[in-house]
PDB file of all heavy atoms in Angstrom:
ATOM      1  N   LYS A 187     -27.712  21.383  20.179  1.00  0.00           N
ATOM      2  CA  LYS A 187     -28.354  20.360  19.354  1.00  0.00           C
ATOM      3  C   LYS A 187     -29.335  20.970  18.365  1.00  0.00           C
ATOM      4  O   LYS A 187     -29.415  20.561  17.201  1.00  0.00           O
ATOM      5  CB  LYS A 187     -29.058  19.351  20.244  1.00  0.00           C
ATOM      6  CG  LYS A 187     -29.660  18.173  19.501  1.00  0.00           C
ATOM      7  CD  LYS A 187     -30.266  17.167  20.464  1.00  0.00           C
ATOM      8  CE  LYS A 187     -30.857  15.980  19.708  1.00  0.00           C
ATOM      9  NZ  LYS A 187     -31.472  14.990  20.649  1.00  0.00           N
ATOM     10  N   ALA A 188     -30.090  21.974  18.841  1.00  0.00           N
ATOM     11  CA  ALA A 188     -31.078  22.607  17.962  1.00  0.00           C
ATOM     12  C   ALA A 188     -30.423  23.272  16.756  1.00  0.00           C
ATOM     13  O   ALA A 188     -30.929  23.215  15.630  1.00  0.00           O
ATOM     14  CB  ALA A 188     -31.887  23.632  18.756  1.00  0.00           C
ATOM     15  N   ILE A 189     -29.285  23.902  16.982  1.00  0.00           N
ATOM     16  CA  ILE A 189     -28.597  24.599  15.889  1.00  0.00           C
ATOM     17  C   ILE A 189     -27.894  23.611  14.966  1.00  0.00           C
ATOM     18  O   ILE A 189     -28.002  23.692  13.736  1.00  0.00           O
ATOM     19  CB  ILE A 189     -27.595  25.622  16.463  1.00  0.00           C
ATOM     20  CG1 ILE A 189     -28.348  26.729  17.208  1.00  0.00           C
ATOM     21  CG2 ILE A 189     -26.743  26.229  15.349  1.00  0.00           C
ATOM     22  CD1 ILE A 189     -27.452  27.683  17.976  1.00  0.00           C
ATOM     23  N   GLU A 190     -27.161  22.644  15.569  1.00  0.00           N
ATOM     24  CA  GLU A 190     -26.412  21.684  14.740  1.00  0.00           C
ATOM     25  C   GLU A 190     -27.345  20.866  13.856  1.00  0.00           C
ATOM     26  O   GLU A 190     -26.991  20.533  12.719  1.00  0.00           O
ATOM     27  CB  GLU A 190     -25.591  20.761  15.636  1.00  0.00           C
ATOM     28  CG  GLU A 190     -24.373  21.417  16.256  1.00  0.00           C
ATOM     29  CD  GLU A 190     -23.549  20.455  17.092  1.00  0.00           C
ATOM     30  OE1 GLU A 190     -24.100  19.425  17.537  1.00  0.00           O
ATOM     31  OE2 GLU A 190     -22.357  20.736  17.311  1.00  0.00           O
ATOM     32  N   ASN A 191     -28.535  20.553  14.349  1.00  0.00           N
ATOM     33  CA  ASN A 191     -29.461  19.733  13.560  1.00  0.00           C
ATOM     34  C   ASN A 191     -30.042  20.471  12.362  1.00  0.00           C
ATOM     35  O   ASN A 191     -30.593  19.841  11.459  1.00  0.00           O
ATOM     36  CB  ASN A 191     -30.602  19.242  14.444  1.00  0.00           C
ATOM     37  CG  ASN A 191     -30.168  18.144  15.386  1.00  0.00           C
ATOM     38  OD1 ASN A 191     -29.096  17.555  15.233  1.00  0.00           O
ATOM     39  ND2 ASN A 191     -30.994  17.854  16.392  1.00  0.00           N
ATOM     40  N   GLN A 192     -29.937  21.802  12.354  1.00  0.00           N
ATOM     41  CA  GLN A 192     -30.552  22.585  11.271  1.00  0.00           C
ATOM     42  C   GLN A 192     -29.568  23.051  10.208  1.00  0.00           C
ATOM     43  O   GLN A 192     -29.987  23.395   9.101  1.00  0.00           O
ATOM     44  CB  GLN A 192     -31.261  23.810  11.866  1.00  0.00           C
ATOM     45  CG  GLN A 192     -32.467  23.480  12.715  1.00  0.00           C
ATOM     46  CD  GLN A 192     -33.160  24.722  13.217  1.00  0.00           C
ATOM     47  OE1 GLN A 192     -33.698  25.505  12.424  1.00  0.00           O
ATOM     48  NE2 GLN A 192     -33.142  24.922  14.525  1.00  0.00           N
ATOM     49  N   ILE A 193     -28.278  23.099  10.519  1.00  0.00           N
ATOM     50  CA  ILE A 193     -27.317  23.697   9.589  1.00  0.00           C
ATOM     51  C   ILE A 193     -27.260  22.944   8.262  1.00  0.00           C
ATOM     52  O   ILE A 193     -27.439  23.536   7.184  1.00  0.00           O
ATOM     53  CB  ILE A 193     -25.921  23.788  10.230  1.00  0.00           C
ATOM     54  CG1 ILE A 193     -25.911  24.876  11.305  1.00  0.00           C
ATOM     55  CG2 ILE A 193     -24.860  24.095   9.168  1.00  0.00           C
ATOM     56  CD1 ILE A 193     -24.599  25.029  12.040  1.00  0.00           C
ATOM     57  N   CYS A 194     -27.036  21.652   8.300  1.00  0.00           N
ATOM     58  CA  CYS A 194     -26.905  20.898   7.039  1.00  0.00           C
ATOM     59  C   CYS A 194     -28.209  20.856   6.241  1.00  0.00           C
ATOM     60  O   CYS A 194     -28.187  20.984   5.016  1.00  0.00           O
ATOM     61  CB  CYS A 194     -26.380  19.495   7.311  1.00  0.00           C
ATOM     62  SG  CYS A 194     -24.589  19.475   7.671  1.00  0.00           S
ATOM     63  N   PRO A 195     -29.370  20.683   6.875  1.00  0.00           N
ATOM     64  CA  PRO A 195     -30.611  20.787   6.099  1.00  0.00           C
ATOM     65  C   PRO A 195     -30.792  22.139   5.432  1.00  0.00           C
ATOM     66  O   PRO A 195     -31.306  22.213   4.304  1.00  0.00           O
ATOM     67  CB  PRO A 195     -31.699  20.525   7.147  1.00  0.00           C
ATOM     68  CG  PRO A 195     -31.044  19.636   8.147  1.00  0.00           C
ATOM     69  CD  PRO A 195     -29.629  20.141   8.233  1.00  0.00           C
ATOM     70  N   LEU A 196     -30.380  23.220   6.102  1.00  0.00           N
ATOM     71  CA  LEU A 196     -30.482  24.541   5.481  1.00  0.00           C
ATOM     72  C   LEU A 196     -29.544  24.650   4.284  1.00  0.00           C
ATOM     73  O   LEU A 196     -29.896  25.224   3.255  1.00  0.00           O
ATOM     74  CB  LEU A 196     -30.162  25.632   6.504  1.00  0.00           C
ATOM     75  CG  LEU A 196     -31.269  25.991   7.492  1.00  0.00           C
ATOM     76  CD1 LEU A 196     -30.746  26.923   8.570  1.00  0.00           C
ATOM     77  CD2 LEU A 196     -32.449  26.628   6.769  1.00  0.00           C
ATOM     78  N   VAL A 197     -28.334  24.114   4.413  1.00  0.00           N
ATOM     79  CA  VAL A 197     -27.396  24.115   3.290  1.00  0.00           C
ATOM     80  C   VAL A 197     -27.966  23.307   2.134  1.00  0.00           C
ATOM     81  O   VAL A 197     -27.958  23.733   0.970  1.00  0.00           O
ATOM     82  CB  VAL A 197     -26.034  23.544   3.717  1.00  0.00           C
ATOM     83  CG1 VAL A 197     -25.124  23.356   2.503  1.00  0.00           C
ATOM     84  CG2 VAL A 197     -25.358  24.462   4.734  1.00  0.00           C
ATOM     85  N   SER A 198     -28.485  22.114   2.441  1.00  0.00           N
ATOM     86  CA  SER A 198     -29.062  21.252   1.403  1.00  0.00           C
ATOM     87  C   SER A 198     -30.231  21.927   0.703  1.00  0.00           C
ATOM     88  O   SER A 198     -30.365  21.866  -0.522  1.00  0.00           O
ATOM     89  CB  SER A 198     -29.499  19.926   2.018  1.00  0.00           C
ATOM     90  OG  SER A 198     -30.099  19.094   1.048  1.00  0.00           O
ATOM     91  N   ASN A 199     -31.080  22.575   1.485  1.00  0.00           N
ATOM     92  CA  ASN A 199     -32.232  23.252   0.898  1.00  0.00           C
ATOM     93  C   ASN A 199     -31.814  24.402  -0.009  1.00  0.00           C
ATOM     94  O   ASN A 199     -32.424  24.635  -1.063  1.00  0.00           O
ATOM     95  CB  ASN A 199     -33.141  23.777   2.003  1.00  0.00           C
ATOM     96  CG  ASN A 199     -34.370  24.469   1.455  1.00  0.00           C
ATOM     97  OD1 ASN A 199     -35.235  23.853   0.858  1.00  0.00           O
ATOM     98  ND2 ASN A 199     -34.429  25.788   1.634  1.00  0.00           N
ATOM     99  N   SER A 200     -30.766  25.126   0.390  1.00  0.00           N
ATOM    100  CA  SER A 200     -30.273  26.223  -0.440  1.00  0.00           C
ATOM    101  C   SER A 200     -29.765  25.710  -1.783  1.00  0.00           C
ATOM    102  O   SER A 200     -29.990  26.324  -2.824  1.00  0.00           O
ATOM    103  CB  SER A 200     -29.149  26.974   0.286  1.00  0.00           C
ATOM    104  OG  SER A 200     -29.616  27.580   1.461  1.00  0.00           O
ATOM    105  N   ILE A 201     -29.083  24.582  -1.761  1.00  0.00           N
ATOM    106  CA  ILE A 201     -28.564  23.997  -3.003  1.00  0.00           C
ATOM    107  C   ILE A 201     -29.717  23.541  -3.892  1.00  0.00           C
ATOM    108  O   ILE A 201     -29.753  23.815  -5.095  1.00  0.00           O
ATOM    109  CB  ILE A 201     -27.620  22.828  -2.689  1.00  0.00           C
ATOM    110  CG1 ILE A 201     -26.372  23.343  -1.981  1.00  0.00           C
ATOM    111  CG2 ILE A 201     -27.240  22.085  -3.968  1.00  0.00           C
ATOM    112  CD1 ILE A 201     -25.486  22.240  -1.430  1.00  0.00           C
ATOM    113  N   THR A 202     -30.675  22.848  -3.281  1.00  0.00           N
ATOM    114  CA  THR A 202     -31.778  22.271  -4.053  1.00  0.00           C
ATOM    115  C   THR A 202     -32.720  23.328  -4.610  1.00  0.00           C
ATOM    116  O   THR A 202     -33.144  23.253  -5.770  1.00  0.00           O
ATOM    117  CB  THR A 202     -32.569  21.284  -3.180  1.00  0.00           C
ATOM    118  OG1 THR A 202     -31.685  20.269  -2.702  1.00  0.00           O
ATOM    119  CG2 THR A 202     -33.698  20.650  -3.968  1.00  0.00           C
TER     120      THR A 202
END
Side-chain angles (χ1 to χ4, degrees):
K187 185 176 181 181
I189 295 172
E190 286 182 338
N191 286 346
Q192 293 183 65
I193 288 178
C194 284
L196 282 171
V197 172
S198 178
N199 181 67
S200 296
I201 294 171
T202 302

